[in-house]
Amino acid sequence: MATEDSARNERRRNATFSERAVFPLLRLAQIGGAAYSTKIFYLMLFRDIFIMAIESLSANRLRSLLTMIGITVGVFSVIGVMTAIKAVESSVEEGLSDLGASTFEIQKTPELLFRRHNMPERNRKDITYREASRFQKIMSGSARAVGIEVHDTGEQAAYAGRKTNPNIDVVGGDMNFTAANSYDIAYGRNLTNEDVLYARNVVVIGFGVQEKLFPSESPLHKTLKLAGKTYFIVGVFDSKGSGFGESQDDLALIPITRFLANYGQKRSLHITIQANSQAVYQATMDRAIGVMRVVRGLSPEEKNDFEIVTNEALIESFQEVAGTIQIGAFIISVIALITAGIGIMNIMLVSVTERTKEIGIRKSIGAKKTHILTQFLIEAIFLSETGGVFGIFIGVIGGNFFARQVSAPFIFPWDWAFIGLAVCSAIGIGFGLYPAYKAASLKPVEALRFE
């Protein structure tokens, strides 16, 4: 048996392309009456047809490669976008877990404002320091921490000729900011009630600021400059890492009264509330809503003119935006894949014309219509699937490269990869069926006469 196989392989290597076209039929004749089971017989026949399909594509490598590029681009666009969204979503959820499960915020508007019907929310009146202080006073004892805060991002800190990048988050807050936002003091002290009451020029710096400005000395009792103002360093936060793709250590906390004096009063403040436990989280939120309505002077029939921001609400807002992007990417990919499918059909029709005589030879010695149909369908599916695999590979790399810019973890979208391969198979079958049927329907005599 080994000698027969070697001889057959030698004949296959030395055969011309047209001669190789008839090998599956010779094999059919050789093994048709042998003691093979029906299943093994058809498996071997399919294997030979598959090898012939690959050899046909290899004979026109450049044409096959150009045809696959269309599929690759279509799959790349959807896989790249889905990979990036999944990676960023994972980063967002990780960042939210750092905030603490029992923390929520009250602020003027939703965290994300993209929809047109958000316009009335944009026109809400600001949450003032007076309102926030009154809310804090009423809620004292009902929650573990109630912090007032306001932010100004993109600032630069400087000390003794050294400067940070212009990415410092200057926070105006009170002594409750640290607990409400799950920060810890590494050394030094937190802000005090007196710091806020007298609007002192003191600051508690983040771990990132300390690393950049004071790499080899203690920052305590030294001064730094923020936006041209001088502050006395009284404490340093412990490192908290990254959240939402951004460092949470590049911040500087100053008394909120000093912040409003230096940066202006016309700002809407945020109130951060940490419930005493997860068990009373909802009850604390209900009480906070009631207190805030009283502070804002709302009548019973009026809607809330403020927003409750929770971890779940943030995730829902992100998923809403991500869903819109996914729909856009999906539509673009469908258009690209249909265009690529038309390209496959065109190439396969050209291939049928070029190989008409080969088809005639095969059919004249007994090839069935299903054999020709199967080979051309395999060629179309192979082109589509190979392009899809390259598209998935490039899409995963591209999506993770984007996600890396926001410090998101590596993601492989298995579900979209399988969907992509299934769609590629459907495109290969859908757009390859007509050329395959046309090839299988050729009459042997007419095909042999074709020039």
Side-chain angles (χ1 to χ4, degrees):
M1 181 63 70
T3 305
E4 292 177 0
D5 288 342
S6 300
R8 185 167 53 249
N9 291 333
E10 183 64 23
R11 289 199 301 274
R12 181 186 291 278
R13 284 194 293 271
N14 297 329
T16 64
F17 183 78
S18 297
E19 290 171 338
R20 286 202 297 272
V22 303
F23 274 136
L25 302 170
L26 295 176
R27 173 65 63 85
L28 174 65
Q30 291 170 359
I31 66 177
Y36 288 99
S37 69
T38 303
K39 185 180 291 185
I40 294 176
F41 168 74
Y42 281 112
L43 282 175
M44 294 181 68
L45 180 60
F46 179 80
R47 187 196 68 173
D48 284 351
I49 292 174
F50 182 82
I51 291 172
M52 282 193 61
I54 302 303
E55 288 178 342
S56 298
L57 292 174
S58 299
N60 297 284
R61 291 187 183 88
L62 180 59
R63 189 167 71 184
S64 301
L65 179 64
L66 294 176
T67 306
M68 285 190 295
I69 287 177
I71 295 288
T72 300
V73 171
V75 174
F76 162 75
S77 60
V78 68
I79 293 295
V81 171
M82 299 308 171
T83 301
I85 287 177
K86 280 183 173 289
V88 174
E89 186 175 358
S90 173
S91 176
V92 168
E93 291 177 354
E94 183 181 341
L96 290 175
S97 66
D98 289 342
L99 291 178
S102 59
T103 300
F104 62 94
E105 286 189 354
I106 296 177
Q107 56 188 45
K108 174 183 170 182
T109 59
E111 193 69 14
L112 298 174
L113 286 171
F114 291 101
R115 297 164 296 173
R116 181 170 295 179
H117 64 263
N118 282 137
M119 288 305 295
E121 297 163 353
R122 295 177 191 272
N123 296 326
R124 291 170 176 170
K125 63 179 183 179
D126 291 342
I127 298 175
T128 65
Y129 182 60
R130 178 176 168 275
E131 290 175 338
S133 298
R134 188 181 174 203
F135 175 90
Q136 190 179 47
K137 186 176 181 181
I138 297 175
M139 281 294 291
S140 63
S142 301
R144 181 176 297 169
V146 181
I148 307 171
E149 61 189 81
V150 60
H151 297 252
D152 193 284
T153 57
E155 295 288 354
Q156 189 174 50
Y159 168 77
R162 291 189 285 268
K163 295 180 180 179
T164 67
N165 294 326
N167 62 347
I168 301 300
D169 180 18
V170 178
V171 183
D174 58 10
M175 49 284 181
N176 293 319
F177 171 87
T178 303
N181 290 277
S182 303
Y183 277 96
D184 294 316
I185 299 292
Y187 51 94
R189 67 170 176 83
N190 191 12
L191 294 182
T192 64
N193 195 33
E194 288 73 22
D195 293 332
V196 177
L197 183 63
Y198 299 113
R200 289 171 175 164
N201 288 313
V202 295
V203 62
V204 181
I205 61 174
F207 186 75
V209 178
Q210 183 225 325
E211 278 193 321
K212 292 181 179 70
L213 299 185
F214 306 95
S216 56
E217 58 183 309
S218 171
L220 291 182
H221 313 306
K222 295 184 173 62
T223 59
L224 59 71
K225 280 190 176 296
L226 280 168
K229 304 291 184 183
T230 302
Y231 297 91
F232 186 74
I233 302 172
V234 296
V236 178
F237 287 121
D238 204 354
S239 178
K240 197 178 176 184
S242 298
F244 307 106
E246 295 182 358
S247 170
Q248 299 184 73
D249 296 328
D250 293 331
L251 84 162
L253 173 66
I254 63 177
I256 188 167
T257 46
R258 173 48 49 195
F259 183 100
L260 295 174
N262 290 349
Y263 291 87
Q265 300 280 340
K266 291 185 177 179
R267 293 168 180 271
S268 187
L269 308 187
H270 293 195
I271 304 172
T272 304
I273 302 103
Q274 187 180 50
N276 287 317
S277 68
Q278 188 64 33
V280 297
Y281 179 75
Q282 188 59 49
T284 304
M285 186 186 300
D286 292 341
R287 175 167 170 72
I289 293 172
V291 172
M292 197 63 193
R293 288 182 61 86
V294 171
V295 168
R296 300 278 271 183
L298 299 176
S299 60
E301 63 274 9
E302 287 183 294
K303 294 182 179 178
N304 293 341
D305 63 348
F306 54 88
E307 205 70 25
I308 300 293
V309 179
T310 63
N311 290 349
E312 292 75 15
L314 283 172
I315 291 176
E316 287 176 4
S317 297
F318 174 81
Q319 289 176 337
E320 184 178 346
V321 176
T324 304
I325 297 173
Q326 286 174 337
I327 291 172
F330 183 76
I331 292 173
I332 293 172
S333 299
V334 167
I335 295 172
L337 289 173
I338 289 176
T339 306
I342 293 172
I344 289 178
M345 178 182 281
N346 182 47
I347 292 300
M348 293 305 299
L349 287 171
V350 171
S351 180
V352 170
T353 303
E354 291 176 345
R355 293 154 60 187
T356 299
K357 182 161 285 187
E358 172 198 324
I359 295 168
I361 295 172
R362 293 183 60 189
K363 296 195 84 173
S364 65
I365 60 174
K368 293 181 179 177
K369 189 174 181 178
T370 54
H371 300 156
I372 306 297
L373 185 78
T374 302
Q375 180 182 338
F376 277 83
L377 269 182
I378 288 174
E379 291 180 22
I381 295 172
F382 184 83
L383 281 173
S384 184
E385 286 289 350
T386 306
V389 169
F390 278 117
I392 292 170
F393 181 71
I394 299 172
V396 169
I397 293 176
N400 279 289
F401 177 79
F402 170 79
R404 187 67 182 167
Q405 308 309 308
V406 293
S407 303
F410 179 87
I411 290 288
F412 190 96
W414 289 103
D415 49 351
W416 282 100
F418 284 119
I419 292 172
L421 291 177
V423 169
C424 288
S425 296
I427 288 173
I429 294 172
F431 287 92
L433 187 60
Y434 173 68
Y437 177 78
K438 185 178 179 182
S441 301
L442 288 173
K443 297 185 182 305
V445 176
E446 294 177 1
L448 287 170
R449 288 177 178 172
F450 182 81
E451 293 295 338

